[in-house]
Amino acid sequence: MVTVQTYIPASLSPIVKSFWCVRVSGLPDPVYSENILPDGHHEIIFHLSANNAKRGDNESGWVNEPVSFFAGQTLTRYALELQNDAVLYGIRFYPHTLNLLFGFPADLITNTILPLQDIAPARGLADCISENQEETFRNLETALLKLCKGVDFSSHKSQYIRYSVGEILRHNGKVKIDRLVKAAGLSQKHFDTVFNQSVGINPKAFSNIIQLNYFVRYRNQHPGKSLTECCYEAEFFDQSHLVKLFRRVAGQSPKEYFREDNPISNCFSEL
């Protein structure tokens, strides 16, 4: 069984979207595998035990996940293998807030992972992890509140990036980028540069990922509807557009995706 439990820390609402815990247990096989879709968010991930997971695929190769690490934006799916009895904790940031809190450009970790120990302010977070889920979430909340002191949430850059990300999320990816550029009062080139540094990917790629996740969420919420119905009700222009985007990001068609059991990706499309 694969379970995902979440907690929303109200005291961290400007910067943290949720904490989560994934547990893998009682499976007939020693390893659980799932293809993980991009979801537009950064995370810090902690393994309760070492050598419990690897990510990659047979074409690009596999890497063992460190015990604790920053997980950057991804543009395409990746394969995740978890050992039976694995326990993972995560801090799920808003798409733009990891950069605000830790100061390094978000595109530094796009399509890659970065060990937590490489970023000095984050090192102490690993000490928050325990077998007790509630205790772990309390510890993380306390530690992050201390890190948040001194973070400037009111800068012009922070405000227009927050607005732009919020508009893309609020409209499920269906936003005209030039409207966001105009609202920011920047050139397109400057806007793209700042957005990449803050979010990790460009505005168009981010919008596409949010739109795809909205479709996944909508389809899961309406299992009795056909893929065609969900396509139009999720505001895709046509099925061809949906299938093309799905193949580019997920490496398969929507029909193939929904034939599989994807508890982790499906859960995070909801968050």
Side-chain angles (χ1 to χ4, degrees), residues 5-6 18-22 43 45 88-90 92 137 268:
Q5 294 178 296
T6 62
S18 65
F19 298 150
W20 54 261
C21 179
V22 171
E43 293 175 315
I45 297 175
L88 299 76
Y89 291 104
R92 186 175 176 82
F137 288 164
F268 286 117

Side-chain angles (χ1 to χ4, degrees), residues 37-76:
L37 288 179
D39 58 35
H41 295 75
H42 300 99
E43 293 175 315
I44 298 178
I45 297 175
F46 309 86
H47 290 284
L48 190 59
S49 303
N51 302 315
N52 259 343
K54 61 181 183 178
R55 62 168 63 196
D57 55 52
N58 292 328
E59 294 180 3
S60 58
W62 294 85
V63 295
N64 292 319
E65 291 190 343
V67 173
S68 55
F69 61 96
F70 291 92
Q73 294 273 17
T74 57
L75 291 169
T76 57

